[in-house]
Amino acid sequence: MSDSSASSDSNSVQLTRDEIFAVREWTLANGRTLTAEIDPNRNPIKLLKERVRLIGTDGNNYRIPTAQLSKEDARFLRDAALSLKRLEQSGDIVIVCNDSGTGVTNLPEEPFEENPEVAAPKLSKETRDFQKALDRALSDDPSAQIIVGQCYEEGRGVERDEAVAFRWYRKAIARGSKDGYFYLARCYERGIGVPVDLLQAYRGYRKAAQFGVGAAFVKLAECYAKGAGVEANQSKAASWYYNAAQTGDRDAQYELSRRYAVGEGVEQSAEESVKWLAKAANRSHVRALVAMGDHCLRGELGLDEDPEEAFALYKRAADLGDPEAQCKLGDLLLRGEGCFADENQAYQWFRLSAAQGYALAQTKVGECCESGRGVAKDAYQAVHWYRKAAKNEDPSGMFHIGRCYKLGISLDQNDDSAERWFKRAASKGNAKAQVFLGKSLLSEIAVKRDPDAAFDFFQKAANQGDPEGLYYLGLCYEKGFGAAPNGAKAKELYELSARRGFPDAERKLLTWK
């Protein structure tokens, strides 16, 4: 239908505002088409608000000629359509623009009758929630405008449209929303509906923080920490993390603890670090739970060594699904440290962690399969899990693949392949691989015997506290392999190795003169 035919239709009826609102109580009978016209000389947004009940359905079976409407007006029409509480039963609603004034064509003499045979489509809860929020948003409720923006941003109850989300956040700010500054800043930071602009993001977060929006405290702290949109300032970053931590933000509490531990932007303080870490852990922050468990296990930051408390902390984080905690819990159960040893439970926790792709846990599953701890022995499965771990860049998994090639465990024996895997593992800091390569370079039958390179490998392993690495580094000092002979240094290293339970070091000390 053309604009001219619409305006000249003899059946065209001019409706008053009250009559327009009355139309919302009717639905179209089968075969009926309702056409609404918009006067472009009037404020379109104001007009659309007046006619919101007339011009839409459920957002799925209507058309808007975008060539005749601006993009923003067309989107507003769609929002208005979605806010209808009564659904059209058949036909389309077509919006047209012309200069003929506002009216309705093809309106029958009698009011439309509802068609009881056609059931209104069932809408999802997300769509219903969106429509409720949209009703309030169109009435200038700023909190509802934020919700509508979030729905458009996430595609929740409505087709995702980040540009529209951005506009709704701006509308909320215009209606006095303080939270709106936070969401608008997030759009600028992440490029949601607008090009990334870190300066605008910083300004938005600062404005929101000045209004007391707690979520903005952490974001403003991040801006200062990273120098995003503002010159980096670790002292100001720490100050805003402190403000956020005071509100109970567990992420801020965890970050503040880390900063006190290393003295970043604040004066270093183990006491303050533990205080804020405990607060975050009490709020079930999984990284804080794991970190507290580590400190309790090793007796760090002024805490007493307490394996039982470490076990309890790892268990809380593991129950929350954290793969690192699940792996560490399995380790304690395997060793019986802080708990009764239970190889079956240890294996189950390793499997849960490995299923999430945690590489170290995949190696642990392989070790259990190879040794038969908590599960039946299965060398094939062991290599399968070692390969998974190695693929995920776990150095211990790489070492085991090299060992399996060296010993022919479920793989064809191949010294060259073994050496390649040992070198990969050693380059990533695996102490066992470093010791193996060092020993091979000291061997009397080595093709390229190299005591200096062997010394370097042993030193790297010893620096990690590896007992075998300490022993062989001591041997180098005793025999003068890659270093000047030094008996006192050799004995010191043997003692360190023996205290870590390495039997060769214990035997060496028994005969030491």
Side-chain angles (χ1 to χ4, degrees):
M1 176 171 53
S2 68
D3 292 349
S4 59
S5 62
S7 61
S8 62
D9 195 317
S10 60
N11 291 326
S12 179
V13 178
Q14 296 293 326
L15 299 180
T16 65
R17 185 175 185 280
D18 292 339
E19 288 172 327
I20 288 173
F21 271 91
V23 173
R24 68 187 165 98
E25 300 299 329
W26 300 327
T27 56
L28 291 176
N30 283 338
R32 298 288 189 181
T33 299
L34 179 65
T35 301
E37 298 176 0
I38 298 175
D39 182 355
N41 296 317
R42 294 184 59 186
N43 182 326
I45 300 301
K46 180 179 179 182
L47 175 63
L48 292 172
K49 287 180 181 177
E50 292 177 355
R51 302 185 56 186
V52 66
R53 300 299 182 186
L54 176 63
I55 61 174
T57 61
D58 63 349
N60 291 320
N61 67 338
Y62 66 93
R63 298 190 301 275
I64 297 173
T66 55
Q68 297 173 337
L69 290 173
S70 69
K71 183 177 179 181
E72 185 171 354
D73 290 349
R75 176 60 66 181
F76 191 93
L77 286 171
R78 181 180 180 186
D79 292 345
L82 287 171
S83 73
L84 281 176
K85 297 185 183 298
R86 301 297 296 267
L87 300 175
E88 175 198 0
Q89 299 294 327
S90 64
D92 290 330
I93 290 180
V94 183
I95 307 301
V96 298
C97 290
N98 57 38
D99 297 322
S100 63
T102 301
V104 177
T105 65
N106 295 337
L107 190 67
E109 295 181 1
E110 299 296 328
F112 297 117
E113 297 179 357
E114 295 188 9
N115 184 354
E117 298 179 359
V118 182
K122 291 184 178 180
L123 303 179
S124 68
K125 183 179 184 302
E126 284 190 347
T127 301
R128 293 196 305 272
D129 289 344
F130 169 74
Q131 290 180 352
K132 290 177 182 177
L134 185 59
D135 281 341
R136 290 164 40 220
L138 292 169
S139 298
D140 290 334
D141 181 336
S143 62
Q145 290 170 337
I146 293 292
I147 295 172
V148 170
Q150 291 172 321
C151 289
Y152 273 113
E153 180 183 336
E154 301 166 12
R156 179 160 38 92
V158 67
E159 183 181 350
R160 184 175 181 178
D161 192 324
E162 293 182 347
V164 175
F166 179 81
R167 289 200 292 271
W168 276 108
Y169 295 144
R170 285 203 308 184
K171 288 176 190 256
I173 291 174
R175 299 307 301 171
S177 171
K178 298 174 182 177
D179 290 330
Y181 286 103
F182 172 82
Y183 288 101
L184 200 69
R186 194 163 55 87
C187 289
Y188 279 117
E189 179 190 12
R190 301 181 183 179
I192 299 172
V194 68
V196 171
D197 188 331
L198 296 182
L199 176 60
Q200 289 297 331
Y202 161 72
R203 289 173 174 171
Y205 288 137
R206 183 181 62 184
K207 191 76 171 178
Q210 290 170 345
F211 279 127
V213 178
F217 294 171
V218 169
K219 300 304 295 186
L220 190 56
E222 290 176 356
C223 289
Y224 282 117
K226 301 173 184 177
V230 65
E231 184 178 353
N233 187 316
Q234 298 306 322
S235 178
K236 288 185 177 181
S239 176
W240 280 106
Y241 278 125
Y242 178 83
N243 291 341
Q246 290 281 50
T247 69
D249 187 300
R250 60 186 185 177
D251 290 329
Q253 291 169 342
Y254 176 72
E255 174 61 17
L256 194 60
S257 168
R258 186 194 68 79
R259 285 173 171 268
Y260 273 116
V262 299
E264 186 177 359
V266 292
E267 185 176 348
Q268 190 171 11
S269 170
E271 183 179 356
E272 284 294 307
S273 179
V274 169
K275 181 183 83 172
W276 288 107
L277 191 62
K279 286 179 180 290
N282 287 339
R283 299 180 71 85
S284 297
H285 189 287
V286 291
R287 299 267 54 80
L289 288 166
V290 173
M292 278 292 287
D294 292 343
H295 296 321
C296 288
L297 190 63
R298 297 191 288 257
E300 298 170 336
L301 293 181
L303 296 173
D304 294 332
E305 193 172 306
D306 190 343
E308 289 81 7
E309 180 64 15
F311 179 87
L313 289 162
Y314 290 150
K315 180 66 163 57
R316 284 178 60 192
D319 286 338
L320 291 170
D322 182 70
E324 182 183 1
Q326 291 169 344
C327 185
K328 291 187 174 186
L329 191 67
D331 264 337
L332 294 185
L333 285 162
L334 205 60
R335 300 196 303 265
E337 188 173 0
C339 59
F340 291 109
D342 190 329
E343 293 181 352
N344 292 329
Q345 283 292 314
Y347 175 74
Q348 293 303 321
W349 282 112
F350 289 145
R351 281 300 301 264
L352 284 173
S353 178
Q356 297 189 64
Y358 193 65
L360 180 58
Q362 292 170 337
T363 295
K364 297 290 184 180
V365 171
E367 290 173 347
C368 287
C369 290
E370 185 178 359
S371 63
R373 302 186 72 181
V375 66
K377 279 189 176 183
D378 189 330
Y380 176 82
Q381 280 296 312
V383 172
H384 167 75
W385 283 103
Y386 293 150
R387 286 195 183 280
K388 277 182 173 287
K391 185 177 180 180
N392 288 325
E393 298 297 315
D394 179 52
S396 56
M398 296 174 185
F399 167 76
H400 281 303
I401 290 292
R403 186 177 56 81
C404 289
Y405 271 119
K406 184 70 177 177
L407 302 177
I409 299 174
S410 196
L411 293 171
D412 293 336
Q413 199 281 334
N414 189 315
D415 285 341
D416 290 338
S417 293
E419 185 176 359
R420 282 197 299 271
W421 280 104
F422 285 140
K423 285 181 176 179
R424 282 189 63 187
S427 69
K428 290 184 174 295
N430 183 266
K432 293 184 183 300
Q434 290 164 346
V435 169
F436 180 88
L437 291 171
K439 288 163 64 176
S440 68
L441 290 168
L442 280 184
S443 173
E444 295 294 338
I445 61 173
V447 176
K448 294 182 179 179
R449 194 168 187 271
D450 190 340
D452 291 338
F455 179 89
D456 289 340
F457 277 123
F458 293 141
Q459 190 164 55
K460 288 176 181 178
N463 288 342
Q464 298 180 63
D466 181 76
E468 191 174 8
L470 289 164
Y471 171 79
Y472 278 100
L473 188 62
L475 186 66
C476 287
Y477 277 111
E478 181 188 0
K479 303 294 185 181
F481 297 146
N486 188 328
K489 183 67 173 177
K491 183 180 181 183
E492 178 187 345
L493 289 163
Y494 288 145
E495 289 173 343
L496 286 172
S497 178
R499 283 201 291 270
R500 285 166 171 77
F502 192 64
D504 287 1
E506 294 170 354
R507 286 191 291 270
K508 174 69 74 171
L509 288 171
L510 289 175
T511 60
W512 186 265
K513 292 181 181 180

